[in-house]
Amino acid sequence: MADILKPIRSHPPSQIIVAMMGARRHYAIPRILHNSGRLEHFYTDICAVQGWPSLLTHLPRQWQSKPLQRLAGRIPTDIPVNKITSYPGFGLANSFRLSRANSLGKKLAVFTWAGKRFNHLVETSGFKNADAIYTFDRAGLELMGTAKAQGLKTIMEQTVAPFIINQRYMHEEQEQFPGWEPPEILSNDAEMWFSEREKAEWAKADLILCGSEYVKAGIIECGGGDLSGRCVVVPYGVDSRLSGIQRQPHTGPLKVLTIGSVGLRKGAPYILESAQHLKGRAIFRMVGSVDILPAAEAKLREHVELTGQIPRSLISEHFQWADVFLLPSLNEGSAGVIYEALSSGLPVICTPNAGSVVRDGVDGFVVPIRNPQIICTHLEKLAHDRELLTEMSQHARQRAAQYTLAAYGNRLTDAIDLIPVTL
């Protein structure tokens, strides 16, 4: 019979293995599960508490390159080291392969190799006393298959809308804005192959966690309505370190901040058009790696300040600088930077595709994709009505208070207790 979402609180998974490459949301998932007594073990690629990477924490910061600084910051706080197994050799090999992948096709090949290799390493290490496994999109297919064969429940998190949806938007943007990014030509067969691998993960999952309704809708669009019973929306949460930022009224142009990679997916051309229209009335700043071609970058720099990638420790300075946060993305999961902006007291202007928790007209504005005219209308309103700006800032902090890490942990464990069962 069909899968349905049904509480099984008498027999929820009690011991869960987390298999995660990278430091997603500062290791929030394994930290939450450990704090709730549910973490059996945490497998990851590379972190700074085991093996040779742990030596980096003893190096003076000035001796470390930016990549080494990021690696030294990979510390799974509050998780006992004996509950962590990392594979630094694999992590280094994966980073090296990605650094040499100069096309989308090559990157997808690396992602697939890394997912399979990581899955094999975890399977070899074993599932210990776990009764469930937690994986992430595009990196857990083989592992979930093995886990199900051994009777474990399978949980996966879909961190972004499906691959084929992202490709559709990117093809359209590259046609609309030629010369912004190197054309990524991927055969239809390659796109479909990677998309089918993603769908195979959904089929293996007992529970699919989505950061937003936008992600859930994308899964149902691509995978069929029969998945809706296994998809549960669990918005994220952030720590409260940005909530202490104090905002002082000021005169002069409105300060508009965007944080994220500078490119087509994040809506860079629409930020440029907004900046051109509001010249003299608003100042625009984009913080993040610049992933566009030199001619487009030069044009963008005429109207927008580009900082490039910065250490995470400096992000709060930019939130302090801004009056408004802008993210006109075409495709996200549930952008963590929006939660941070709300926490810092910034009204947010974003699209539905950003997967945010912003309430339109309350703590920001939700605008259609590809519509700089509406973005400008709202920015002009906030520039002229500073009382409205202050009111929305207060509402932003109130909204963020509902999306703390503690609240996220409660939502996450509640969702795990509702793993679908087959009748």
Side-chain angles (χ1 to χ4, degrees):
M1 297 180 64
D3 286 328
I4 63 169
L5 198 64
K6 179 181 179 180
I8 51 171
R9 293 189 183 276
S10 57
H11 300 288
S14 59
Q15 293 300 300
I16 302 171
I17 280 176
V18 176
M20 182 183 80
M21 290 187 282
R24 295 178 184 272
R25 297 192 301 283
H26 316 295
Y27 301 102
I29 300 300
R31 286 165 57 197
I32 287 168
L33 293 178
H34 174 66
N35 289 338
S36 65
R38 296 168 181 248
L39 181 67
E40 171 66 20
H41 206 74
F42 174 43
Y43 291 105
T44 190
D45 53 346
I46 189 169
C47 65
V49 297
Q50 286 185 341
W52 59 262
S54 63
L55 301 176
L56 297 175
T57 60
H58 301 290
L59 283 178
R61 189 174 179 84
Q62 63 268 24
W63 293 3
Q64 300 177 15
S65 63
K66 286 185 177 180
L68 288 181
Q69 288 177 13
R70 288 194 293 272
L71 180 54
R74 282 195 180 189
I75 299 176
T77 308
D78 301 329
I79 302 174
V81 175
N82 64 358
K83 283 201 169 188
I84 302 172
T85 297
S86 61
Y87 308 103
F90 158 71
L92 197 62
N94 187 32
S95 296
F96 177 74
R97 291 187 182 212
L98 274 177
S99 70
R100 296 173 62 87
N102 56 4
S103 69
L104 178 58
K106 291 179 180 179
K107 288 176 182 176
L108 293 182
V110 174
F111 293 156
T112 303
W113 169 82
K116 290 181 176 181
R117 179 61 182 160
F118 182 59
N119 285 193
H120 174 72
L121 291 169
V122 175
E123 288 175 10
T124 302
S125 296
F127 296 144
K128 304 184 184 300
N129 295 314
D131 51 16
I133 190 160
Y134 192 121
T135 66
F136 293 80
D137 49 329
R138 307 168 192 176
L141 176 59
E142 293 78 16
L143 196 54
M144 285 194 291
T146 302
K148 286 187 79 70
Q150 296 186 21
L152 278 69
K153 292 293 185 181
T154 51
I155 306 163
M156 71 159 290
E157 182 177 325
Q158 184 76 22
T159 61
V160 69
F163 172 74
I164 205 69
I165 291 178
N166 183 74
Q167 287 302 100
R168 182 175 68 212
Y169 281 125
M170 290 302 95
H171 288 323
E172 293 169 353
E173 291 302 288
Q174 288 178 347
E175 287 184 10
Q176 180 69 23
F177 300 103
W180 272 74
E181 293 182 2
E184 294 281 16
I185 301 173
L186 195 64
S187 70
N188 289 336
D189 287 345
E191 286 189 354
M192 290 307 299
W193 179 85
F194 198 75
S195 180
E196 289 301 319
R197 181 174 171 82
E198 193 173 43
K199 291 178 184 179
E201 284 185 325
W202 303 335
K204 295 288 187 186
D206 293 313
L207 178 67
I208 305 169
L209 297 170
C210 309
S212 65
E213 291 288 349
Y214 172 69
V215 171
K216 179 177 178 179
I219 291 175
I220 294 171
E221 175 189 337
C222 297
D226 62 318
L227 290 172
S228 62
R230 282 184 279 146
C231 289
V232 178
V233 175
V234 181
Y236 300 138
V238 295
D239 60 40
S240 59
R241 64 186 180 83
L242 296 170
S243 60
I245 290 178
Q246 299 300 313
R247 306 215 158 272
Q248 302 298 327
H250 68 85
T251 58
L254 191 73
K255 297 175 181 177
V256 183
L257 175 67
T258 299
I259 297 177
S261 58
V262 178
L264 293 177
R265 185 172 66 87
K266 300 287 187 179
Y270 309 107
I271 295 174
L272 171 59
E273 191 170 336
S274 300
Q276 290 172 324
H277 180 75
L278 295 175
K279 186 175 182 179
R281 290 171 286 172
I283 302 171
F284 289 74
R285 176 184 291 179
M286 300 181 74
V287 176
S289 60
V290 179
D291 299 332
I292 54 179
L293 293 170
E297 179 182 346
K299 187 175 182 180
L300 188 60
R301 284 187 182 277
E302 291 177 9
H303 301 276
V304 178
E305 178 190 353
L306 304 179
T307 70
Q309 193 168 17
I310 65 168
R312 183 164 182 79
S313 59
L314 300 180
I315 289 290
S316 61
E317 297 178 12
H318 296 278
F319 282 123
Q320 177 74 71
W321 169 85
D323 296 313
V324 182
F325 189 81
L326 172 63
L327 191 67
S329 288
L330 280 86
N331 193 55
E332 298 279 354
S334 183
V337 71
I338 290 180
Y339 295 86
E340 294 180 332
L342 292 171
S343 181
S344 73
L346 289 179
V348 173
I349 298 176
C350 64
T351 65
N353 299 21
S356 80
V357 295
V358 173
R359 298 168 294 182
D360 185 39
V362 179
D363 32 56
F365 298 99
V366 181
V367 302
I369 62 171
R370 299 169 171 149
N371 202 317
Q373 294 79 16
I374 295 182
I375 291 173
C376 288
T377 296
H378 291 313
L379 288 174
E380 287 178 321
K381 183 184 300 183
L382 293 172
H384 293 141
D385 190 344
R386 295 303 171 109
E387 288 186 5
L388 175 62
L389 181 66
T390 299
E391 180 182 335
M392 283 194 158
S393 175
Q394 294 169 348
H395 288 158
R397 291 188 193 276
Q398 293 166 4
R399 185 61 165 168
Q402 302 174 37
Y403 294 93
T404 61
L405 279 177
Y408 173 46
N410 291 335
R411 290 192 297 271
L412 180 68
T413 52
D414 284 348
I416 289 173
D417 285 353
L418 296 174
I419 286 184
V421 295
T422 303
L423 297 182

